[in-house]
Amino acid sequence: DVANLMGRRPESLNILLVEDNLVDARFITGSLKSSAGEFQWRHVVQLSEALVLLKSIRFDIILLDLNLEDSLGHETFSRIGSAAPSTAILVLSASDDEELAIRTVREGAQDYLVKGSFDGRLLLRSIHYAYERKQSEEALRKSETTVRAIFENSLDGIIITENNGYCLEANSAAAALTGLTRDDLLGRC
């Protein structure tokens, strides 16, 4: 089941807070402190500091302000995402830019919250949701990789067709049995 694939949540989630506004940072860390040791966190104010930390420390979640002293907007998200592809990213932005919110979520952010529009309880719920969602995504990715490997390495020829008989997928063994290349099998009836 999915819970076994994902494993258990660690006793304490390791969070990287990337926030240059000290008032916002105090609110966020205050919310984290209120959760009775459920979180450990590091706070940095620049993207460059975050990128250095990500080279040596594995974080479960990154709470990311997009507009920092040394990086702005989507570039901030993109650079963090590249540096920590398996880490859940929760964007906390002062910008209520719906287009930017949709873009970052489509590109892998777990959520996009507008500062000033959420309280501590919603923040904590969003952190938990972001972590669980990322764990589910990783479990699904691993499962898909396993199924793909089984499909590709099977000694039996496997052809997957649509109801109308068109070939959607075929493995190497099926290609060898038919004397056709895999590409030639795809789309055939």
Side-chain angles (χ1 to χ4, degrees), residues 14-81:
N14 194 16
I15 297 175
L16 175 59
L17 172 59
V18 186
E19 173 61 69
D20 62 351
N21 181 306
L22 295 181
V23 172
D24 291 332
R26 271 190 229 115
F27 166 73
I28 294 164
T29 57
S31 297
L32 296 175
K33 286 177 187 174
S34 73
S35 64
E38 194 176 353
F39 305 110
Q40 295 177 15
W41 65 89
R42 298 277 297 263
H43 173 219
V44 297
V45 296
Q46 294 187 343
L47 178 64
S48 57
E49 294 174 284
L51 295 174
V52 167
L53 278 178
L54 289 169
K55 289 179 182 177
S56 60
I57 300 172
R58 165 91 169 73
F59 291 93
D60 298 306
I61 298 174
I62 298 171
L63 303 178
L64 180 65
D65 178 14
L66 295 180
N67 294 321
L68 302 167
E69 184 180 305
D70 62 343
S71 182
L72 295 175
H74 185 265
E75 178 191 343
T76 305
F77 172 75
S78 181
R79 291 182 64 196
I80 281 285

Side-chain angles (χ1 to χ4, degrees), residues 4-152:
N4 287 335
L5 284 173
M6 292 183 340
R8 298 199 187 286
R9 182 169 36 199
E11 275 197 29
S12 150
L13 292 178
N14 194 16
I15 297 175
L16 175 59
L17 172 59
V18 186
E19 173 61 69
D20 62 351
N21 181 306
L22 295 181
V23 172
D24 291 332
R26 271 190 229 115
F27 166 73
I28 294 164
T29 57
S31 297
L32 296 175
K33 286 177 187 174
S34 73
S35 64
E38 194 176 353
F39 305 110
Q40 295 177 15
W41 65 89
R42 298 277 297 263
H43 173 219
V44 297
V45 296
Q46 294 187 343
L47 178 64
S48 57
E49 294 174 284
L51 295 174
V52 167
L53 278 178
L54 289 169
K55 289 179 182 177
S56 60
I57 300 172
R58 165 91 169 73
F59 291 93
D60 298 306
I61 298 174
I62 298 171
L63 303 178
L64 180 65
D65 178 14
L66 295 180
N67 294 321
L68 302 167
E69 184 180 305
D70 62 343
S71 182
L72 295 175
H74 185 265
E75 178 191 343
T76 305
F77 172 75
S78 181
R79 291 182 64 196
I80 281 285
S82 295
S86 63
T87 302
I89 300 172
L90 179 57
V91 175
L92 306 175
S93 179
S95 172
D96 192 6
D97 180 341
E98 189 170 337
E99 197 174 300
L100 181 60
I102 290 169
R103 183 175 181 194
T104 57
V105 170
R106 279 191 181 147
E107 292 179 12
Q110 301 308 310
D111 206 346
Y112 185 105
L113 299 177
V114 177
K115 294 176 191 175
S117 69
F118 60 88
D119 61 11
R121 285 180 43 169
L122 178 60
L123 175 63
L124 297 178
R125 259 197 324 266
S126 295
I127 289 170
H128 287 290
Y129 170 73
Y131 178 78
E132 296 298 332
R133 182 170 168 211
K134 190 64 172 183
Q135 293 302 299
S136 294
E137 286 174 3
E138 288 297 309
L140 179 60
R141 187 190 57 73
K142 287 177 184 175
S143 176
E144 288 171 345
T145 300
T146 300
V147 169
R148 173 58 66 184
I150 292 168
F151 178 79
E152 289 298 327

Side-chain angles (χ1 to χ4, degrees), residues 160-181:
I160 301 171
T161 62
E162 289 182 331
N163 288 339
N164 61 10
Y166 285 98
C167 178
L168 296 173
E169 189 62 76
N171 69 355
S172 299
L177 285 171
T178 62
L180 298 170
T181 67

